[in-house]
Amino acid sequence: MVRPPASPNLVMIGFMGAGKTMIGKLVAQALGREFLDTDELVTQAAELPITEIFRREGEDGFRRREQNAIDEAVASPARVIAVGGGAVLSSENRTVLKQAGYLVYLRATPETLAIRLADVTDRPLINAVDRVGRIRDLLVARGPVYETAGDVAVDTDTITPQQAAEQIVHWYRDQVDQGRL
Ligand code: S3P
C-alpha cells in the first residue's frame, strides 16, 4: 500500500470544470499553504497555451509535459496541488501523487460540468460538436478512475467553491485530529 508522507500534499482531482483550481486555491488559503496548478506549470515551461501544445505535439506531448509538471509539483510537501483532469488516468502519475499526499476528488454530474464548460475554448479534448455528449462519454470512462483514486470525494453540484473548500479543510483537520496524518 502506498503511504503518503508526514506533511502530505493535498491534490485536487476530477473532470475539467470540477473547480480544481478555484477550490484548491481556497483550500491553500485556509490552510496557509502554497498552491500549484500543473496546467500552469506546463504552460509556463512550454511558453505555449495548452491548445497550442496539443496542436504541435499531440496529446502524448502534453501528457509528457504534464508528468514532468507533476514531478515538480510534488517535489516539496505540504502544498495544495490542482492537476489537470487527465492526470490521474496514468498509473505512474497516480502512484507519484499518492506517495506525495492525499487525493481529493471533486465530483460533478455531466450536466453541471456542461454548464460550467459551456463557454470554454481552451480545452482541446472537449472541442466537439456535441460537447455534452463528449463530456458524458469521457466521464463514463474516467469516473471509476477518479472514484478509486480519491481518498475523499466532494460533490460540487449544489455547493459553492467556498463550501467545497470548507468541507475539504474539515476533512483534512479530522484526519490530523484522528492521528491519521
Ligand atoms: C485535460 C484537462 C485540462 C488540461 C488539458 C487536458 C483532461 O485541465 O490538462 O486540457 O484531459 O481532462 P483542467 O482539468 O484543469 O481543465
Side-chain angles (χ1 to χ4, degrees):
M1 191 190 139
V2 184
R3 287 205 160 274
S7 293
N9 290 293
L10 280 174
V11 184
M12 305 298 126
I13 68 166
F15 204 81
M16 297 165 257
K20 300 180 295 290
T21 301
M22 191 184 284
I23 295 168
K25 279 183 183 168
L26 293 169
V27 172
Q29 217 169 52
L31 294 173
R33 290 178 170 217
E34 185 185 4
F35 174 78
L36 285 181
D37 182 322
T38 59
D39 281 343
E40 208 176 303
L41 295 179
V42 167
T43 53
Q44 274 168 7
E47 296 183 4
L48 291 169
I50 286 175
T51 32
E52 192 55 22
I53 298 172
F54 268 73
R55 200 183 64 77
R56 291 189 193 187
E57 303 173 10
E59 184 175 352
D60 286 352
F62 173 78
R63 296 298 171 203
R64 275 192 294 277
R65 290 180 176 277
E66 184 172 58
Q67 193 164 8
N68 293 338
I70 289 171
D71 289 341
E72 187 183 334
V74 301
S76 291
R79 286 172 165 164
V80 179
I81 301 165
V83 294
V88 294
L89 302 179
S90 137
S91 65
E92 288 94 337
N93 288 347
R94 286 200 299 276
T95 304
V96 167
L97 291 168
K98 287 227 160 240
Q99 276 168 348
Y102 286 89
L103 273 56
V104 179
Y105 173 28
L106 301 178
R107 199 193 272 132
T109 62
E111 292 73 23
T112 301
L113 294 168
I115 293 168
R116 292 188 194 153
L117 293 166
D119 298 327
V120 159
T121 54
D122 58 354
R123 304 292 196 288
L125 291 181
I126 53 165
N127 276 345
V129 179
D130 176 14
R131 181 172 280 198
V132 183
R134 176 85 178 128
I135 291 171
R136 199 181 301 276
D137 289 348
L138 281 174
L139 202 54
V140 165
R142 292 177 171 194
V145 182
Y146 294 143
E147 294 288 348
T148 330
D151 293 292
V152 63
V154 176
D155 282 312
T156 66
D157 291 286
T158 57
I159 59 174
T160 64
Q162 189 63 48
Q163 287 169 327
E166 280 162 16
Q167 283 188 25
I168 295 161
V169 169
H170 184 77
W171 174 82
Y172 178 73
R173 294 203 164 121
D174 259 6
Q175 305 298 303
V176 175
D177 288 348
Q178 291 169 25
R180 295 206 189 107
L181 305 186

